Amino acid sequence: MAQKIVVANWKMNNDEYSSKALTYDFLKLLSQQNNTDIKKILCVPFPFLGMIENMCRGTESVYVGAQNCSSHESGAYTGEVSVSMLSSLRVTFVIIGHSERRELFNEKDDVLLEKIKLSLSQKITPIFCFGEPLHIREKNQHIEFVTAQLSNTVLKLNKEEFSKVILAYEPIWAIGSGKTASLENIEEMHKAIRDVLKIKFGNSLSSNSSILYGGSVNSTNAQDIFSLSGVDGGLVGGASLDAKVFLEIVNSMG
Ligand code: PEP
C-alpha cells in the first residue's frame, strides 16, 4: 500500500523567528495526538533547513525537505544549493519541478531529471511535481500533457530509482488560486497516472507509489480530496503557513 503523506510547501514566506514559531506550534499541537502513520514533510526555505531539522529531529513521522536543489553536483554555480549540502543538513526530501520553478525559472524536464537523479544519489527523496496549465485543460489535453511530463522524467528511471520517488499532481491553474480541481478531475488524473506507471513499472510498483494532489487544498476540502481512490495525500502551500490549519489538513487523511 502507498505511504500516506502530507507535504507543507512554505514557499518564500516567513523569517527566522516566524519559521521557528510555526514549527514549534505545529510540533506542540502534534504532540497532543497520535497519527504517526501519516508522513508530514515540512519543505522550508534554504536558510531555515538546519534549524527546523533540529527542531523536528526525534518527532516520529515529521521530516524536513527543501523546495529545490541544483542540477549540478558542485562548483562555480553562484547562489545554487547542492544535494550534498542538503544531505549534510540531514534533509531527506526535496521538491523538484514545482510549477513556479518551471514557469518563473524556466526549468525544463531534462534539468528536472538531473535533479531527481542527483537527489537519489544522496538518498534524498524527490517529491516530483507536475501538472497542466489551464489552456491545456480547456483543450482537454491534460492527460496527454501530464503523460509527456512523466515520460520525459520519472519514467526514465529504473524500477529501483522510481520506487523512491513521491509524485505530486498539481494542476497549475489550481495552485494558489483558491480554485481546487473537481473531485472528478482529480480522480481521473490519478487513475491515468497509475495506469501509465503500471505499463512502465508493473502493477505492484504502480499501486505502492505515493501520488499526492496539490492545488488550493485547505481544511474544508482536504477530507473529500484525500478520500478519493488513488490519492495518497497532499502538497499544501498557503494553508501550511498556519500550524492549526495544517494539522487539520493532516488529520483529514483519517
Ligand atoms: C503548492 O505550493 O504547490 C500549492 C499547491 O499551493 P497552494 O496550496 O497554496 O495552492
Side-chain angles (χ1 to χ4, degrees):
M1 220 176 77
Q3 168 73 50
K4 305 280 181 209
I5 300 169
V6 185
V7 179
N9 177 18
W10 289 3
K11 310 197 189 197
M12 198 174 72
N13 291 297
N14 290 329
D15 59 13
E16 184 185 16
Y17 179 82
S18 51
S19 295
K20 204 184 251 182
L22 174 52
T23 309
Y24 178 84
D25 290 347
F26 176 66
L27 294 175
K28 185 156 185 237
L29 288 168
L30 191 63
S31 70
Q32 292 155 11
Q33 57 167 71
N34 177 17
N35 67 2
T36 50
D37 49 333
I38 302 163
K39 261 190 186 156
K40 288 125 332 235
I41 306 170
L42 306 182
C43 292
V44 310
F46 287 135
F48 311 133
L49 281 167
M51 172 184 81
I52 293 174
E53 196 284 323
N54 257 299
M55 291 177 76
C56 294
R57 202 177 310 155
T59 304
E60 204 186 337
S61 80
V62 178
Y63 301 85
V64 175
Q67 298 171 13
N68 183 30
C69 62
S70 174
S71 58
H72 301 282
E73 257 181 87
S74 65
Y77 300 102
T78 303
E80 288 287 89
V81 174
S82 71
V83 287
S84 54
M85 292 173 186
L86 298 179
S87 173
S88 72
L89 291 172
R90 297 192 179 84
V91 168
T92 43
F93 292 86
V94 60
I95 294 176
I96 293 176
H98 192 281
S99 65
E100 287 151 17
R101 301 288 326 165
R102 292 176 189 258
E103 293 199 320
L104 305 173
F105 301 94
N106 207 24
E107 292 189 1
K108 302 285 184 232
D109 287 339
D110 53 340
V111 166
L112 300 176
L113 181 58
E114 283 311 307
K115 293 186 181 200
I116 292 171
K117 287 185 174 168
L118 271 177
S119 57
L120 289 172
S121 75
Q122 290 289 328
K123 300 196 176 3
I124 295 179
T125 302
I127 302 166
F128 181 64
C129 302
F130 53 93
E132 80 287 355
L134 188 57
H135 71 277
I136 294 289
R137 163 75 52 180
E138 284 171 347
K139 280 194 273 178
N140 204 27
Q141 292 170 348
H142 46 285
I143 293 184
E144 292 84 337
F145 185 92
V146 161
T147 304
Q149 284 183 314
L150 296 175
S151 300
N152 294 336
T153 54
V154 288
L155 296 187
K156 293 193 169 169
L157 300 173
N158 64 36
K159 265 187 170 186
E160 206 206 322
E161 290 166 332
F162 179 76
S163 68
K164 300 186 178 115
V165 175
I166 297 168
L167 297 180
Y169 166 59
E170 298 207 297
I172 297 175
W173 45 276
I175 298 176
S177 62
K179 272 192 230 155
T180 324
S182 72
L183 298 179
E184 294 72 29
N185 289 167
I186 300 172
E187 201 160 43
E188 177 202 39
M189 184 59 87
H190 279 242
K191 182 179 178 315
I193 296 165
R194 250 180 244 282
D195 287 347
V196 169
L197 298 183
K198 203 192 297 182
I199 293 167
K200 171 75 189 178
F201 295 118
N203 212 352
S204 129
L205 192 44
S206 165
S207 38
N208 288 332
S209 297
S210 295
I211 310 180
L212 317 182
Y213 167 78
S216 297
V217 173
N218 57 43
S219 52
T220 310
N221 60 26
Q223 192 166 11
D224 286 341
I225 294 172
F226 295 164
S227 57
L228 290 173
S229 130
V231 176
D232 305 304
L235 199 162
V236 185
S240 70
L241 294 170
D242 179 311
K244 186 165 165 287
V245 172
F246 183 59
L247 190 59
E248 278 167 15
I249 293 173
V250 171
N251 287 335
S252 308
M253 286 279 345

